[in-house]
């Protein structure tokens, strides 16, 4: 269930045609990076089951189905690939909690402002970062995510991108996001036998510097770890307290 995309390789992950061809060829289902079981502690901690959830770039992953089995009531799934969306809509027509729409995450104008409590992204910003005009695509996507989130809403990004690569995109002041970082090893990672480090729980947020980066000297136990950014769109109360205590960092 793990496929590494620590670089963009030669594939054009930002291209709808690439994904359509791939979904025609592969069929079935596949979850990138991590399955829901591993992500559940983070999802359940930040997203109540009654939330209206938007899954961006759902592909043919089982994640949304697993979330419904875990009690989630309303998940809108979008993907740029019409092949993936047609397949998933047919597969899940008997599950009313799951809805599917073909849509480009950079233009989700069919949805009104503040229409979701939370947005989940597993590998979709990563795909855009591999396409042409990556910084522009990322800004368009994250601008749309911010627009769609209710105040107090949560965007969870699961990615291979470390803070030097992702924080500059997430920390644009116009989003008003407060971001927490978690790091989890890739599935199947085994600690080297001579590894003596005392593992801190992956369920603890990683302390970051003021600019959102890993502290100097921070060593990843698994060099191919996945990063989970939990971004909270601050509401009016938090924004006004931020102007008094600008460096508070709790979500
Ligand atoms: C790496 S896959 C991840 C799929 C799924 N989220 C998972 O975890 O297995 C990236 C997905 O993003 C979709 N995608 C790429 N560019 C997109 C865009 N501009 N708008 C919406 N979806 C896009 C692709 O079609 C693909 O399904």
């Amino acid at each position: 269930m793990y496929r590494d995309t620590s670089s963009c390789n030669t594939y054009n992950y930002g291209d709808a045609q690439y994904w359509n061809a791939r979904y025609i060829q592969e069929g079935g289902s596949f979850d990138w990076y991590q399955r829901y079981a591993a992500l559940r502690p983070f999802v359940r901690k930040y997203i109540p089951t009654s939330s209206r959830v938007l899954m961006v770039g759902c592909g043919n992953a089982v994640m949304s189905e697993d979330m419904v089995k875990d009690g989630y009531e309303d998940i809108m799934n979008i993907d740029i690939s019409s092949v993936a969306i047609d397949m998933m809509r047919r597969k899940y027509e008997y599950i009313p909690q799951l809805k599917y729409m073909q849509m480009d995450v950079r233009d989700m104008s069919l949805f009104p402002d503040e229409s979701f409590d939370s947005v989940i992204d597993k590998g979709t910003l990563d795909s855009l970062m591999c396409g042409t005009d990556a910084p522009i695509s990322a800004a368009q996507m994250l601008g749309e995510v911010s627009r769609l989130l209710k105040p107090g809403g949560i965007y969870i990004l699961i990615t291979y991108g470390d803070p030097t690569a992702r924080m500059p995109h997430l920390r644009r002041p116009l989003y008003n996001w407060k971001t927490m970082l978690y790091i989890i090893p890739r599935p199947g990672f085994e600690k080297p036998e001579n590894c003596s480090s005392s593992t801190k729980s992956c369920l603890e947020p990683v302390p970051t510097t003021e600019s959102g980066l890993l502290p100097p000297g921070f060593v990843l136990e698994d060099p191919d770890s996945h990063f989970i950014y939990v971004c909270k769109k601050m509401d009016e109360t938090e924004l006004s307290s931020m102007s008094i205590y600008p460096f508070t960092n709790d979500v």
Side-chain angles (χ1 to χ4, degrees):
M1 278 300 151
Y2 172 72
R3 194 176 295 172
D4 187 20
T5 56
S6 48
S7 73
C8 293
N9 301 321
T10 50
Y11 303 118
N12 192 355
Y13 292 122
D15 178 8
Q17 282 169 348
Y18 165 80
W19 288 103
N20 275 332
R22 182 167 174 148
Y23 288 125
I24 288 171
Q25 204 179 6
E26 291 183 357
S29 60
F30 180 79
D31 273 76
W32 286 70
Y33 306 163
Q34 302 275 342
R35 289 291 302 267
Y36 178 61
L39 300 173
R40 183 177 186 272
F42 309 98
V43 174
R44 289 298 293 254
K45 177 169 179 175
Y46 291 104
I47 306 182
T49 52
S50 58
S51 305
R52 182 150 199 251
V53 180
L54 174 65
M55 183 72 73
V56 289
C58 57
N60 58 4
V62 185
M63 169 114 178
S64 297
E65 176 189 338
D66 287 341
M67 286 177 65
V68 169
K69 285 183 183 152
D70 197 25
Y72 285 88
E73 296 164 10
D74 184 359
I75 307 179
M76 169 61 73
N77 299 271
I78 67 133
D79 201 286
I80 201 166
S81 162
S82 55
V83 175
I85 291 298
D86 288 348
M87 226 159 52
M88 297 296 268
R89 197 181 277 141
R90 250 179 281 123
K91 179 174 178 187
Y92 293 121
E93 61 188 350
Y94 67 96
I95 303 187
Q97 295 93 328
L98 292 177
K99 292 163 204 87
Y100 287 87
M101 285 178 83
Q102 191 266 333
M103 200 180 285
D104 188 329
V105 72
R106 293 166 293 187
D107 174 11
M108 299 189 279
S109 44
L110 281 179
F111 298 132
D113 295 358
E114 301 182 3
S115 45
F116 292 94
D117 300 295
S118 49
V119 176
I120 301 179
D121 164 6
K122 184 154 67 74
T124 300
L125 180 63
D126 291 356
S127 292
L128 264 60
M129 296 299 291
C130 291
T132 45
D133 298 327
I136 296 170
S137 289
Q140 288 170 331
M141 169 181 174
L142 296 174
E144 280 292 80
V145 169
S146 172
R147 180 182 70 78
L148 293 182
L149 278 178
K150 294 177 186 167
I154 294 283
Y155 168 48
I156 298 188
L157 165 66
I158 301 115
T159 168
Y160 66 83
D162 72 20
T164 54
R166 293 293 176 266
M167 279 298 191
H169 298 285
L170 299 174
R171 283 173 63 91
R172 296 183 69 201
L174 79 158
Y175 304 148
N176 285 326
W177 289 347
K178 201 156 57 166
T179 302
M180 303 273 284
L181 174 66
Y182 296 86
I183 300 178
I184 56 174
R186 78 194 114 115
F189 171 72
E190 283 173 27
K191 266 205 270 179
E193 266 172 30
N194 59 355
C195 177
S196 60
S197 70
S198 63
T199 318
K200 265 198 88 182
S201 166
C202 299
L203 304 180
E204 297 286 317
V206 176
T208 51
T209 64
E210 227 168 77
S211 42
L213 303 181
L214 292 172
F218 186 94
V219 177
L220 290 173
E221 204 159 43
D222 171 13
D224 293 324
S225 288
H226 294 134
F227 298 84
I228 301 175
Y229 299 85
V230 178
C231 308
K232 181 176 182 186
K233 180 172 170 176
M234 285 183 278
D235 57 27
E236 287 302 320
T237 325
E238 286 163 307
L239 282 171
S240 46
S241 71
M242 275 291 286
S243 57
I244 309 171
Y245 304 111
F247 301 122
T248 308
N249 197 31
D250 306 321
V251 168

